[in-house]
Amino acid sequence: MASSSSSVFSPLLRPSLQLPTSCSARSTAVHAVSADNAAAATPPAPLAVASHRRELVVGTALGALFSRTPLPAGAREVEAGKYLPPAPSSPGFVFFKATTKDTPALRAGNVEPYEFILPPTWKQLRVANILSGNYCQPKCAEPWVEVKFEDDKQGKVQVVASPLIRLTNRPNATIEDIGSPEKLISSLGPFVTGNTLEPEEIIETNVEKIGDLTYYSYVLETPLALTGAHNLAKATAKGNTVVLFVASASDKQWQSSQKILKAMVDSFQV
């Protein structure tokens, strides 16, 4: 119908055949009504464009969130041993303590500084903006990734932070206030495995007091996990946040790095 209305109204598309006046008038009226109907049925262009843009933004965000494609080589930092100090009481490891320079949540005061040891050959990975919580600080409603380190032959570790309100309505709750180790990991398990966590995959739990904080530790055998078949985790609550340290490895990596990953998890403190 759009082409017909153009032939009536556009001076550039006048028909060469001249209709009788009465026919022309009737034709003009019919086409005018059709054009009005078509205009009424067609949604305004700006809304369509806005909707399309929203779909693109949402699609891009979800793609970044669930994609397993490795980061570009340029996103990998140098070996940790070239810029981190040796761990004083752990020969063969270097010491990482997060500061406000490291993550958006630390700059916003939403997470307390945390620390752990790691081998000097490991490299830090860039955390995508959508995963870092940069866009929602200081009032994020969902967990985010603080830092990530990896070694192709030994495995990977990451620090995940979850707003306390996601787990309990009690402000400044301790980890004991949230519940048992099993209850906590059932809520945060997907952020350990990358997909799901079944109760039978929880092989061991442990409760430890370090200073004023209580820590829950886990040994998980997760054959279908996106992060790896073997996962170790350690969590505590401080302020308005639960902080979770996760070490993951494939079967091949686990054979040679089990003790290294356990030492890293054991060293984690907030």
Side-chain angles (χ1 to χ4, degrees), residues 6 26 63 100 163 244:
S6 296
R26 285 196 299 272
T100 54
L244 180 72

Side-chain angles (χ1 to χ4, degrees), residues 30-92:
V30 170
H31 284 303
V33 171
S34 300
D36 289 342
N37 291 340
T42 303
L47 291 178
V49 171
S51 176
H52 181 61
R53 286 175 178 168
R54 282 195 299 270
E55 291 174 1
L56 286 176
V57 171
V58 172
T60 301
L62 291 177
L65 182 60
F66 294 108
S67 173
R68 296 178 62 191
T69 304
L71 291 171
R76 297 172 184 264
E77 303 290 343
V78 297
E79 291 183 352
K82 294 183 178 180
Y83 62 94
L84 292 179
S89 58
S90 301

Side-chain angles (χ1 to χ4, degrees), residues 34-218:
S34 300
D36 289 342
N37 291 340
T42 303
L47 291 178
V49 171
S51 176
H52 181 61
R53 286 175 178 168
R54 282 195 299 270
E55 291 174 1
L56 286 176
V57 171
V58 172
T60 301
L62 291 177
L65 182 60
F66 294 108
S67 173
R68 296 178 62 191
T69 304
L71 291 171
R76 297 172 184 264
E77 303 290 343
V78 297
E79 291 183 352
K82 294 183 178 180
Y83 62 94
L84 292 179
S89 58
S90 301
F93 289 87
V94 293
F95 179 70
F96 174 82
K97 183 169 185 176
T99 69
T100 54
K101 296 180 180 179
D102 292 306
T103 75
L106 283 162
R107 287 191 289 274
N110 215 14
V111 172
E112 296 291 330
Y114 46 85
E115 61 188 49
F116 55 91
I117 62 172
L118 68 157
T121 55
W122 283 47
K123 297 178 181 179
Q124 187 170 6
L125 303 183
R126 177 178 59 84
V127 178
N129 191 60
I130 193 172
L131 299 179
S132 71
N134 186 40
Y135 63 94
C136 61
Q137 296 296 341
K139 295 184 178 181
C140 295
E142 293 297 324
W144 64 89
V145 176
E146 281 280 293
V147 294
K148 298 170 69 175
F149 287 84
E150 183 180 54
D151 182 282
D152 291 338
K153 296 180 179 179
Q154 295 180 330
K156 52 183 172 285
V157 298
Q158 61 179 336
V159 175
V160 177
S162 173
L164 197 61
I165 195 171
R166 186 181 184 274
L167 302 168
T168 178
N169 292 326
R170 185 170 177 175
N172 296 311
T174 65
I175 200 168
E176 296 100 327
D177 293 331
I178 297 172
S180 67
E182 290 78 9
K183 180 179 180 181
L184 180 73
I185 201 64
S186 67
S187 298
L188 296 179
F191 299 95
V192 175
T193 63
N195 44 17
T196 60
L197 178 67
E198 301 298 330
E200 60 270 19
E201 294 175 331
I202 304 173
I203 305 304
E204 182 182 330
T205 63
N206 185 53
V207 180
E208 180 185 11
K209 191 84 171 182
I210 303 176
D212 296 331
L213 298 179
T214 298
Y215 291 79
Y216 291 167
S217 299
Y218 305 89

